Amino acid sequence: MCSLRGLWIFKADSELRLVLSKRFPTVEKRTACLHGEDYSPVPTDREMHSLFFSDVLHEREEREVPPSVPPLFREEFSGAAFAWDEYAEACAERPWPSGPVCALRRGRQILWPVVFIYRRGFYLTALVGLQRRHCPMKVRAIDFPEITAAFQVL
């Protein structure tokens, strides 16, 4: 069964623009009852735009060379070793370290799982309603059929 708490479609132009949003109040009420004190309400459109933009699209990349890298390979990890082609970067599909399933932090609250895909200039984004309690730091996304079903909806 797929339960979406919220669905957002963003257009990726020169800036990220919200095209459509939809909330599902019945799923939201069920999630609130199930999670009790751990419940995080669905963000407003403005909050979701800001969270998705900052936490997913512009997450900070590590520039530090890990100390465990042998000296022979350190040059490949240095910032000057890679060329930046802005046009190629804009056309390339970006690999997100957390994958297309991520957690968004809003203060002390964690919104998880948030799933997204990029298609034809649009980010299709959904906040999934899970049927059981969870701890995002101790589980794998693959263990939840609701997440797989959410990708089918997107």
Side-chain angles (χ1 to χ4, degrees):
M1 180 175 164
C2 180
S3 297
L4 298 180
R5 297 173 58 194
L7 177 68
W8 295 267
I9 299 176
F10 296 103
K11 174 76 173 147
D13 286 330
S14 57
E15 61 183 50
L16 190 68
R17 200 169 36 93
L18 180 65
V19 176
L20 176 112
S21 72
K22 175 72 177 155
R23 285 163 185 73
F24 302 94
T26 306
V27 176
E28 191 62 9
K29 287 177 188 174
R30 189 171 53 230
T31 302
C33 289
L34 176 68
H35 293 280
E37 290 181 14
D38 296 331
Y39 168 72
S40 297
V42 172
T44 64
D45 291 345
R46 177 171 272 157
E47 286 177 312
M48 187 62 182
H49 178 276
S50 176
L51 291 168
F52 187 73
F53 184 79
S54 62
D55 292 1
V56 177
L57 298 182
H58 289 100
E59 79 180 316
R60 301 180 65 81
E61 295 179 17
E62 278 296 323
R63 299 280 185 204
E64 185 178 319
V65 178
S68 60
V69 173
L72 177 65
F73 301 108
R74 283 189 173 274
E75 185 178 321
E76 291 185 28
F77 280 90
S78 68
F82 298 105
W84 179 266
D85 182 354
E86 194 168 324
Y87 177 76
E89 185 68 20
C91 296
E93 202 165 314
R94 181 171 176 198
W96 286 273
S98 59
V101 178
C102 62
L104 302 177
R105 291 190 179 274
R106 182 173 56 183
R108 292 183 179 182
Q109 298 176 332
I110 297 176
L111 297 168
W112 186 87
V114 175
V115 298
F116 65 94
I117 59 174
Y118 179 80
R119 292 285 184 262
R120 297 183 179 169
F122 293 91
Y123 287 99
L124 309 172
T125 310
L127 176 58
V128 181
L130 298 178
Q131 303 300 313
R132 60 185 189 254
R133 286 180 161 252
H134 63 281
C135 176
M137 305 309 167
K138 297 180 180 177
V139 297
R140 296 178 320 155
I142 194 91
D143 295 333
F144 291 92
E146 297 97 328
I147 294 174
T148 305
F151 279 111
Q152 292 298 319
V153 171
L154 294 180

